[in-house]
Amino acid sequence: MSRLVFFFQSASASGVCLLLAALLGVFLANSPVAAQYFSLLDMKIGPLSILLWINDALMAIFFLFVGLEVKREMISGELNTNAKRLLPGIAAFFGLSVPAVIYYLIAGHTESFIPGWAIPTATDIAFAIGIVAILGSRVPPAMKVFLTALAVMDDLMAIIIIAVFYTTSIKFLFLLIAAMIVLLLIYCNKKNYVRPIPYIVLGIALWYCILQSGLHATLAGVILALTIPLHGVREGRHISPLTEWEHALSHWVSFFITPLFGFANAGVSFYAFSIADLAHPVVLGVALGLVLGKQLGIFTTLFFLVKSKIIDMPKDTTWPQVYGISLVCGIGFTMSLFVSLLAFEPGDIQEKSKIGIFIGSIISGVLGYIVLRISGNKSSLEK
Protein backbone atom coordinates (compact mmCIF):
# COMPACT_ATOMS: atom_id res chain seq x y z
CA MET A 1 0.00 0.00 0.00
CA SER A 2 2.83 2.40 0.88
CA ARG A 3 4.40 1.85 -2.56
CA LEU A 4 1.09 2.65 -4.22
CA VAL A 5 0.75 5.88 -2.23
CA PHE A 6 4.36 6.77 -3.08
CA PHE A 7 3.65 6.20 -6.80
CA PHE A 8 0.59 8.46 -6.88
CA GLN A 9 2.52 11.17 -5.05
CA SER A 10 5.40 11.06 -7.55
CA ALA A 11 5.74 13.64 -10.33
CA SER A 12 5.77 10.93 -12.99
CA ALA A 13 2.51 9.25 -11.88
CA SER A 14 0.16 11.39 -13.99
CA GLY A 15 2.20 10.77 -17.14
CA VAL A 16 2.25 7.01 -16.50
CA CYS A 17 -1.54 6.91 -15.95
CA LEU A 18 -2.14 8.96 -19.10
CA LEU A 19 0.12 6.64 -21.12
CA LEU A 20 -1.58 3.48 -19.83
CA ALA A 21 -5.05 4.90 -20.53
CA ALA A 22 -4.04 5.90 -24.06
CA LEU A 23 -2.54 2.46 -24.73
CA LEU A 24 -5.76 0.85 -23.51
CA GLY A 25 -7.72 3.05 -25.94
CA VAL A 26 -5.46 2.02 -28.83
CA PHE A 27 -5.74 -1.65 -27.83
CA LEU A 28 -9.54 -1.59 -27.66
CA ALA A 29 -9.80 0.29 -30.98
CA ASN A 30 -7.86 -2.53 -32.65
CA SER A 31 -9.43 -5.46 -30.81
CA PRO A 32 -12.52 -7.62 -31.43
CA VAL A 33 -14.49 -5.24 -29.15
CA ALA A 34 -13.63 -2.15 -31.23
CA ALA A 35 -17.26 -1.67 -32.30
CA GLN A 36 -18.40 -1.68 -28.67
CA TYR A 37 -15.60 0.77 -27.72
CA PHE A 38 -16.65 3.31 -30.35
CA SER A 39 -20.37 2.74 -29.65
CA LEU A 40 -19.79 3.47 -25.97
CA LEU A 41 -18.10 6.78 -26.81
CA ASP A 42 -20.97 7.71 -29.16
CA MET A 43 -23.66 6.89 -26.58
CA LYS A 44 -25.80 9.92 -25.76
CA ILE A 45 -26.21 11.11 -22.18
CA GLY A 46 -28.57 14.06 -22.26
CA PRO A 47 -27.68 16.53 -25.03
CA LEU A 48 -24.14 15.22 -25.63
CA SER A 49 -22.41 11.93 -26.37
CA ILE A 50 -19.98 10.50 -23.83
CA LEU A 51 -17.09 11.60 -26.08
CA LEU A 52 -18.38 15.18 -26.19
CA TRP A 53 -18.96 15.24 -22.43
CA ILE A 54 -15.29 14.30 -22.07
CA ASN A 55 -13.97 16.72 -24.71
CA ASP A 56 -16.26 19.70 -24.03
CA ALA A 57 -17.10 19.41 -20.33
CA LEU A 58 -14.35 17.51 -18.53
CA MET A 59 -11.68 19.21 -20.61
CA ALA A 60 -13.13 22.56 -19.52
CA ILE A 61 -12.14 21.50 -16.00
CA PHE A 62 -8.70 20.56 -17.35
CA PHE A 63 -8.36 24.06 -18.83
CA LEU A 64 -9.61 25.54 -15.54
CA PHE A 65 -6.70 23.77 -13.85
CA VAL A 66 -4.27 24.98 -16.53
CA GLY A 67 -5.61 28.53 -16.13
CA LEU A 68 -5.14 28.39 -12.36
CA GLU A 69 -1.58 27.17 -12.84
CA VAL A 70 -0.81 29.92 -15.36
CA LYS A 71 -2.27 32.62 -13.08
CA ARG A 72 -0.34 31.38 -10.04
CA GLU A 73 2.94 31.25 -11.96
CA MET A 74 2.31 34.73 -13.38
CA ILE A 75 1.55 36.27 -9.98
CA SER A 76 3.75 34.46 -7.48
CA GLY A 77 5.64 31.69 -9.28
CA GLU A 78 8.37 31.22 -11.86
CA LEU A 79 6.82 33.82 -14.21
CA ASN A 80 6.09 36.61 -11.73
CA THR A 81 8.45 39.16 -13.30
CA ASN A 82 9.08 40.25 -16.88
CA ALA A 83 12.69 39.09 -16.55
CA LYS A 84 11.56 35.58 -15.60
CA ARG A 85 9.00 35.52 -18.43
CA LEU A 86 11.48 36.59 -21.10
CA LEU A 87 13.40 33.34 -21.68
CA PRO A 88 10.55 30.79 -21.48
CA GLY A 89 8.28 33.19 -23.35
CA ILE A 90 10.66 33.58 -26.31
CA ALA A 91 11.54 29.87 -26.27
CA ALA A 92 7.85 28.91 -26.18
CA PHE A 93 7.08 31.28 -29.07
CA PHE A 94 9.75 29.80 -31.35
CA GLY A 95 8.96 26.33 -30.03
CA LEU A 96 5.47 27.01 -31.36
CA SER A 97 6.37 28.81 -34.58
CA VAL A 98 8.97 26.41 -36.01
CA PRO A 99 6.76 23.28 -35.73
CA ALA A 100 3.92 25.20 -37.40
CA VAL A 101 6.22 26.24 -40.27
CA ILE A 102 7.54 22.68 -40.69
CA TYR A 103 3.99 21.32 -40.79
CA TYR A 104 2.95 23.95 -43.34
CA LEU A 105 5.95 23.25 -45.58
CA ILE A 106 5.08 19.55 -45.63
CA ALA A 107 1.26 19.58 -45.64
CA GLY A 108 0.30 23.13 -46.53
CA HIS A 109 0.07 22.48 -50.27
CA THR A 110 -3.33 20.79 -49.70
CA GLU A 111 -5.96 23.23 -48.45
CA SER A 112 -7.86 20.64 -46.42
CA PHE A 113 -4.67 19.80 -44.47
CA ILE A 114 -3.82 23.40 -43.48
CA PRO A 115 -6.01 23.53 -40.32
CA GLY A 116 -3.65 21.02 -38.70
CA TRP A 117 -0.78 23.53 -38.50
CA ALA A 118 -1.24 24.02 -34.73
CA ILE A 119 -1.25 20.31 -33.83
CA PRO A 120 2.56 19.97 -33.41
CA THR A 121 2.93 23.27 -31.53
CA ALA A 122 1.91 21.92 -28.10
CA THR A 123 3.89 20.36 -25.24
CA ASP A 124 2.32 17.83 -22.88
CA ILE A 125 3.41 19.04 -19.45
CA ALA A 126 2.43 15.77 -17.69
CA PHE A 127 4.63 13.58 -19.91
CA ALA A 128 7.50 16.08 -20.15
CA ILE A 129 7.77 16.66 -16.41
CA GLY A 130 7.18 12.94 -15.80
CA ILE A 131 10.29 12.04 -17.81
CA VAL A 132 12.35 14.68 -16.03
CA ALA A 133 11.08 13.41 -12.67
CA ILE A 134 12.16 9.85 -13.53
CA LEU A 135 15.68 11.13 -14.27
CA GLY A 136 15.86 12.83 -10.87
CA SER A 137 19.17 14.60 -10.10
CA ARG A 138 20.50 13.97 -13.62
CA VAL A 139 18.52 17.04 -14.70
CA PRO A 140 19.72 20.28 -13.02
CA PRO A 141 17.13 22.32 -11.07
CA ALA A 142 17.51 25.26 -13.46
CA MET A 143 16.36 23.08 -16.38
CA LYS A 144 13.39 21.77 -14.38
CA VAL A 145 12.31 25.34 -13.66
CA PHE A 146 12.85 26.29 -17.31
CA LEU A 147 10.76 23.33 -18.53
CA THR A 148 7.92 24.12 -16.11
CA ALA A 149 7.87 27.80 -17.06
CA LEU A 150 8.11 27.01 -20.78
CA ALA A 151 5.28 24.46 -20.55
CA VAL A 152 3.07 27.00 -18.77
CA MET A 153 3.78 29.63 -21.46
CA ASP A 154 3.20 26.97 -24.10
CA ASP A 155 -0.22 26.17 -22.60
CA LEU A 156 -1.09 29.88 -22.54
CA MET A 157 -0.22 30.25 -26.22
CA ALA A 158 -2.18 27.08 -27.07
CA ILE A 159 -5.25 28.57 -25.37
CA ILE A 160 -4.88 31.75 -27.45
CA ILE A 161 -4.53 29.68 -30.65
CA ILE A 162 -7.70 27.72 -29.85
CA ALA A 163 -9.65 30.92 -29.14
CA VAL A 164 -8.44 32.80 -32.24
CA PHE A 165 -8.01 30.16 -34.94
CA TYR A 166 -10.49 27.40 -34.09
CA THR A 167 -13.69 29.39 -33.67
CA THR A 168 -16.12 28.93 -36.56
CA SER A 169 -19.38 30.88 -36.23
CA ILE A 170 -20.41 33.15 -33.36
CA LYS A 171 -23.87 33.48 -31.80
CA PHE A 172 -23.67 36.96 -30.34
CA LEU A 173 -26.63 36.64 -27.95
CA PHE A 174 -24.94 33.82 -26.03
CA LEU A 175 -21.63 35.69 -26.25
CA LEU A 176 -23.28 38.75 -24.72
CA ILE A 177 -24.73 36.69 -21.86
CA ALA A 178 -21.30 35.09 -21.36
CA ALA A 179 -19.77 38.58 -21.13
CA MET A 180 -22.30 39.54 -18.44
CA ILE A 181 -21.43 36.40 -16.47
CA VAL A 182 -17.74 37.29 -16.72
CA LEU A 183 -18.54 40.73 -15.27
CA LEU A 184 -20.31 39.03 -12.35
CA LEU A 185 -17.26 36.82 -11.80
CA ILE A 186 -15.00 39.89 -11.81
CA TYR A 187 -17.38 41.55 -9.32
CA CYS A 188 -17.09 38.51 -7.02
CA ASN A 189 -13.31 38.74 -7.29
CA LYS A 190 -13.23 42.48 -6.52
CA LYS A 191 -15.52 42.00 -3.52
CA ASN A 192 -13.16 39.28 -2.26
CA TYR A 193 -15.74 36.51 -2.26
CA VAL A 194 -13.70 33.44 -1.40
CA ARG A 195 -16.34 30.72 -1.07
CA PRO A 196 -16.44 28.46 -4.15
CA ILE A 197 -20.23 28.23 -4.69
CA PRO A 198 -20.73 31.57 -6.56
CA TYR A 199 -17.79 30.80 -8.85
CA ILE A 200 -18.98 27.24 -9.51
CA VAL A 201 -22.56 28.31 -10.35
CA LEU A 202 -21.43 31.19 -12.56
CA GLY A 203 -18.73 28.98 -14.11
CA ILE A 204 -21.29 26.35 -15.17
CA ALA A 205 -23.51 29.07 -16.67
CA LEU A 206 -20.48 30.52 -18.46
CA TRP A 207 -19.57 27.09 -19.85
CA TYR A 208 -23.08 26.62 -21.26
CA CYS A 209 -23.17 30.08 -22.88
CA ILE A 210 -19.74 29.70 -24.45
CA LEU A 211 -20.68 26.21 -25.69
CA GLN A 212 -23.75 27.69 -27.37
CA SER A 213 -21.92 30.80 -28.64
CA GLY A 214 -19.64 28.96 -31.07
CA LEU A 215 -16.43 29.47 -29.09
CA HIS A 216 -14.95 26.27 -27.74
CA ALA A 217 -16.52 25.47 -24.38
CA THR A 218 -13.16 24.73 -22.73
CA LEU A 219 -12.34 28.46 -22.85
CA ALA A 220 -14.86 28.87 -20.01
CA GLY A 221 -12.43 27.03 -17.75
CA VAL A 222 -9.61 29.45 -18.50
CA ILE A 223 -11.81 32.52 -18.03
CA LEU A 224 -13.13 31.20 -14.72
CA ALA A 225 -9.58 30.49 -13.52
CA LEU A 226 -8.55 34.10 -14.11
CA THR A 227 -11.30 35.35 -11.78
CA ILE A 228 -10.46 33.09 -8.81
CA PRO A 229 -8.83 35.27 -6.09
CA LEU A 230 -5.25 34.58 -5.13
CA HIS A 231 -5.73 35.81 -1.54
CA GLY A 232 -8.69 36.29 0.78
CA VAL A 233 -10.02 35.95 4.32
CA ARG A 234 -12.42 33.24 5.48
CA GLU A 235 -13.56 32.86 9.09
CA GLY A 236 -10.77 35.16 10.24
CA ARG A 237 -8.05 33.19 8.44
CA HIS A 238 -5.95 34.33 5.48
CA ILE A 239 -6.36 31.83 2.66
CA SER A 240 -5.52 31.42 -1.02
CA PRO A 241 -8.65 30.34 -2.93
CA LEU A 242 -6.62 29.90 -6.11
CA THR A 243 -4.24 27.48 -4.40
CA GLU A 244 -7.15 25.62 -2.79
CA TRP A 245 -8.86 25.19 -6.16
CA GLU A 246 -5.61 24.03 -7.74
CA HIS A 247 -4.99 21.45 -5.03
CA ALA A 248 -8.61 20.26 -5.13
CA LEU A 249 -8.48 19.72 -8.90
CA SER A 250 -4.94 18.37 -9.16
CA HIS A 251 -5.63 14.67 -8.63
CA TRP A 252 -8.93 14.74 -10.53
CA VAL A 253 -7.16 16.20 -13.55
CA SER A 254 -4.06 14.00 -13.29
CA PHE A 255 -5.70 10.66 -12.53
CA PHE A 256 -9.19 10.93 -14.02
CA ILE A 257 -9.74 13.67 -16.61
CA THR A 258 -6.55 13.46 -18.69
CA PRO A 259 -6.38 9.63 -18.61
CA LEU A 260 -10.07 9.48 -19.61
CA PHE A 261 -9.39 11.97 -22.41
CA GLY A 262 -6.44 9.85 -23.58
CA PHE A 263 -8.53 6.67 -23.41
CA ALA A 264 -11.35 8.23 -25.46
CA ASN A 265 -9.29 10.07 -28.07
CA ALA A 266 -6.18 7.93 -28.57
CA GLY A 267 -8.25 5.03 -29.85
CA VAL A 268 -7.03 4.99 -33.45
CA SER A 269 -7.82 1.97 -35.61
CA PHE A 270 -4.77 0.70 -37.52
CA TYR A 271 -6.68 -1.82 -39.64
CA ALA A 272 -6.62 0.41 -42.73
CA PHE A 273 -3.18 1.85 -41.99
CA SER A 274 -0.20 0.85 -44.12
CA ILE A 275 3.52 1.62 -44.13
CA ALA A 276 2.93 3.91 -47.11
CA ASP A 277 0.72 6.09 -44.86
CA LEU A 278 3.82 7.10 -42.90
CA ALA A 279 4.66 9.35 -45.86
CA HIS A 280 1.24 11.03 -45.75
CA PRO A 281 1.73 14.84 -45.46
CA VAL A 282 -0.35 15.13 -42.28
CA VAL A 283 1.47 12.24 -40.55
CA LEU A 284 4.88 13.60 -41.58
CA GLY A 285 3.96 17.22 -40.86
CA VAL A 286 2.77 16.50 -37.33
CA ALA A 287 5.55 14.01 -36.47
CA LEU A 288 8.42 16.13 -37.84
CA GLY A 289 6.86 19.27 -36.40
CA LEU A 290 7.07 17.72 -32.94
CA VAL A 291 10.45 16.00 -33.30
CA LEU A 292 12.38 18.59 -35.32
CA GLY A 293 10.33 21.74 -34.85
CA LYS A 294 10.32 21.77 -31.07
CA GLN A 295 14.03 21.06 -30.66
CA LEU A 296 15.04 23.55 -33.35
CA GLY A 297 12.76 26.28 -32.05
CA ILE A 298 13.69 25.93 -28.38
CA PHE A 299 17.36 24.92 -28.53
CA THR A 300 18.42 27.45 -31.19
CA THR A 301 16.57 30.23 -29.34
CA LEU A 302 18.38 29.52 -26.08
CA PHE A 303 21.70 29.03 -27.90
CA PHE A 304 21.37 32.39 -29.69
CA LEU A 305 20.32 34.29 -26.54
CA VAL A 306 23.22 32.88 -24.48
CA LYS A 307 25.89 33.27 -27.19
CA SER A 308 24.79 36.85 -27.90
CA LYS A 309 25.01 37.50 -24.12
CA ILE A 310 21.37 38.65 -23.91
CA ILE A 311 20.86 36.12 -21.11
CA ASP A 312 23.17 33.99 -18.97
CA MET A 313 23.44 30.24 -19.34
CA PRO A 314 21.10 28.54 -16.81
CA LYS A 315 23.00 27.61 -13.65
CA ASP A 316 24.87 24.26 -13.56
CA THR A 317 23.55 23.36 -17.02
CA THR A 318 25.30 21.96 -20.10
CA TRP A 319 24.29 22.29 -23.74
CA PRO A 320 23.46 18.57 -24.04
CA GLN A 321 21.02 19.01 -21.14
CA VAL A 322 19.42 22.01 -22.86
CA TYR A 323 19.13 19.90 -26.01
CA GLY A 324 17.56 17.03 -24.04
CA ILE A 325 14.94 19.36 -22.56
CA SER A 326 14.23 20.73 -26.06
CA LEU A 327 13.62 17.18 -27.27
CA VAL A 328 11.30 16.37 -24.37
CA CYS A 329 9.20 19.41 -25.30
CA GLY A 330 8.33 17.56 -28.51
CA ILE A 331 5.94 15.33 -26.55
CA GLY A 332 2.66 16.88 -27.69
CA PHE A 333 0.10 14.24 -26.79
CA THR A 334 -2.81 15.70 -24.70
CA MET A 335 -2.92 19.23 -26.11
CA SER A 336 -1.96 18.04 -29.62
CA LEU A 337 -4.77 15.47 -29.57
CA PHE A 338 -7.15 18.18 -28.40
CA VAL A 339 -6.15 20.53 -31.24
CA SER A 340 -6.47 17.67 -33.77
CA LEU A 341 -10.13 17.31 -32.76
CA LEU A 342 -10.67 21.00 -33.54
CA ALA A 343 -8.60 21.03 -36.72
CA PHE A 344 -10.18 18.08 -38.54
CA GLU A 345 -13.59 16.47 -38.67
CA PRO A 346 -13.79 12.84 -37.47
CA GLY A 347 -12.43 10.60 -40.19
CA ASP A 348 -9.30 9.56 -42.03
CA ILE A 349 -7.34 12.83 -41.77
CA GLN A 350 -8.01 13.21 -38.05
CA GLU A 351 -6.85 9.61 -37.53
CA LYS A 352 -3.66 10.29 -39.50
CA SER A 353 -2.97 13.40 -37.43
CA LYS A 354 -3.26 11.27 -34.28
CA ILE A 355 -0.77 8.75 -35.70
CA GLY A 356 1.61 11.65 -36.36
CA ILE A 357 1.16 12.73 -32.73
CA PHE A 358 1.96 9.21 -31.47
CA ILE A 359 5.07 8.93 -33.64
CA GLY A 360 6.39 12.41 -32.88
CA SER A 361 5.68 12.22 -29.16
CA ILE A 362 7.23 8.76 -28.73
CA ILE A 363 10.41 9.66 -30.66
CA SER A 364 10.76 12.96 -28.78
CA GLY A 365 10.23 11.30 -25.40
CA VAL A 366 12.66 8.42 -26.02
CA LEU A 367 15.40 10.62 -27.51
CA GLY A 368 14.95 13.25 -24.82
CA TYR A 369 15.22 10.63 -22.07
CA ILE A 370 18.37 9.12 -23.61
CA VAL A 371 20.10 12.49 -24.10
CA LEU A 372 19.23 13.70 -20.58
CA ARG A 373 20.30 10.41 -19.00
CA ILE A 374 23.67 10.35 -20.78
CA SER A 375 24.37 14.06 -20.26
CA GLY A 376 23.31 13.76 -16.60
CA ASN A 377 25.72 10.88 -16.03
CA LYS A 378 28.58 12.84 -17.65
CA SER A 379 27.82 15.90 -15.50
CA SER A 380 27.88 13.86 -12.29
CA LEU A 381 31.20 12.23 -13.30
CA GLU A 382 32.77 15.64 -14.01
CA LYS A 383 31.78 16.83 -10.54
Side-chain angles (χ1 to χ4, degrees):
M1 181 62 74
S2 60
R3 289 184 179 180
L4 191 63
V5 172
F6 177 78
F7 167 74
F8 281 108
Q9 290 176 342
S10 67
S12 59
S14 59
V16 172
C17 290
L18 176 56
L19 177 61
L20 292 176
L23 289 174
L24 179 59
V26 173
F27 172 77
L28 292 178
N30 294 275
S31 73
V33 297
Q36 289 83 352
Y37 166 76
F38 290 112
S39 295
L40 175 65
L41 295 176
D42 290 334
M43 184 185 299
K44 282 282 187 95
I45 299 179
L48 302 176
S49 67
I50 290 178
L51 183 62
L52 287 180
W53 277 115
I54 294 169
N55 293 344
D56 285 353
L58 290 182
M59 285 303 283
I61 300 175
F62 168 80
F63 276 93
L64 167 61
F65 180 74
V66 170
L68 292 168
E69 187 177 50
V70 170
K71 182 175 180 178
R72 176 178 52 77
E73 293 291 348
M74 288 286 189
I75 295 175
S76 60
E78 297 300 334
L79 301 171
N80 65 340
T81 66
N82 288 332
K84 289 181 180 179
R85 294 169 193 151
L86 179 65
L87 176 58
I90 295 174
F93 176 77
F94 285 100
L96 178 153
S97 303
V98 178
V101 170
I102 288 176
Y103 176 91
Y104 186 81
L105 291 174
I106 295 171
H109 61 276
T110 303
E111 188 174 352
S112 60
F113 298 164
I114 293 175
W117 66 269
I119 296 173
T121 63
T123 295
D124 190 304
I125 190 169
F127 274 135
I129 290 180
I131 286 177
V132 168
I134 291 170
L135 289 163
S137 60
R138 292 184 179 89
V139 180
M143 279 291 92
K144 294 177 182 178
V145 171
F146 171 72
L147 175 61
T148 303
L150 187 145
V152 170
M153 296 294 284
D154 193 282
D155 283 343
L156 181 60
M157 292 179 187
I159 291 164
I160 294 169
I161 286 173
I162 291 167
V164 174
F165 295 100
Y166 291 102
T167 297
T168 50
S169 59
I170 298 293
K171 295 179 182 176
F172 287 98
L173 176 59
F174 282 102
L175 201 59
L176 178 62
I177 298 171
M180 294 170 64
I181 294 171
V182 172
L183 290 176
L184 286 173
L185 284 165
I186 293 172
Y187 175 81
C188 290
N189 180 289
K190 295 298 182 183
K191 289 295 182 179
N192 289 319
Y193 293 146
V194 296
R195 297 193 180 279
I197 295 299
Y199 296 98
I200 292 172
V201 173
L202 290 171
I204 292 171
L206 178 65
W207 173 82
Y208 178 78
C209 289
I210 289 183
L211 176 68
Q212 297 297 324
S213 73
L215 292 172
H216 201 275
T218 52
L219 295 175
V222 180
I223 296 169
L224 175 60
L226 297 179
T227 65
I228 304 300
L230 179 62
H231 299 295
V233 177
R234 185 170 61 214
E235 299 173 354
R237 294 186 302 110
H238 289 278
I239 61 166
S240 173
L242 186 145
T243 304
E244 288 182 350
W245 279 60
E246 197 174 353
H247 286 167
L249 291 173
S250 176
H251 284 79
W252 285 101
V253 169
S254 298
F255 303 118
F256 178 68
I257 293 175
T258 50
L260 188 59
F261 174 82
F263 171 78
N265 291 283
V268 178
S269 175
F270 290 95
Y271 286 122
F273 190 80
S274 65
I275 297 298
D277 288 327
L278 293 174
H280 190 281
V282 171
V283 177
L284 273 180
V286 172
L288 292 179
L290 288 169
V291 177
L292 295 180
K294 279 292 184 180
Q295 60 171 292
L296 285 173
I298 295 170
F299 182 80
T300 54
T301 297
L302 193 56
F303 186 83
F304 171 79
L305 291 174
V306 170
K307 291 301 181 181
S308 58
K309 301 190 184 304
I310 296 174
I311 64 164
D312 294 326
M313 184 72 170
K315 188 178 179 182
D316 298 326
T317 300
T318 65
W319 284 116
Q321 289 169 334
V322 173
Y323 181 61
I325 291 292
S326 303
L327 279 168
V328 167
C329 287
I331 306 173
F333 207 72
T334 304
M335 197 68 82
S336 291
L337 280 175
F338 187 78
V339 175
S340 74
L341 304 177
L342 303 178
F344 300 120
E345 294 294 326
D348 182 59
I349 302 304
Q350 188 185 97
E351 299 297 287
K352 284 184 169 56
S353 70
K354 290 180 180 180
I355 291 170
I357 293 168
F358 295 157
I359 294 171
S361 297
I362 291 169
I363 293 174
S364 296
V366 170
L367 290 180
Y369 176 85
I370 292 171
V371 170
L372 287 171
R373 186 175 181 86
I374 293 172
S375 61
N377 286 339
K378 287 183 177 179
S379 296
S380 60
L381 287 173
E382 289 171 1
K383 290 177 183 178

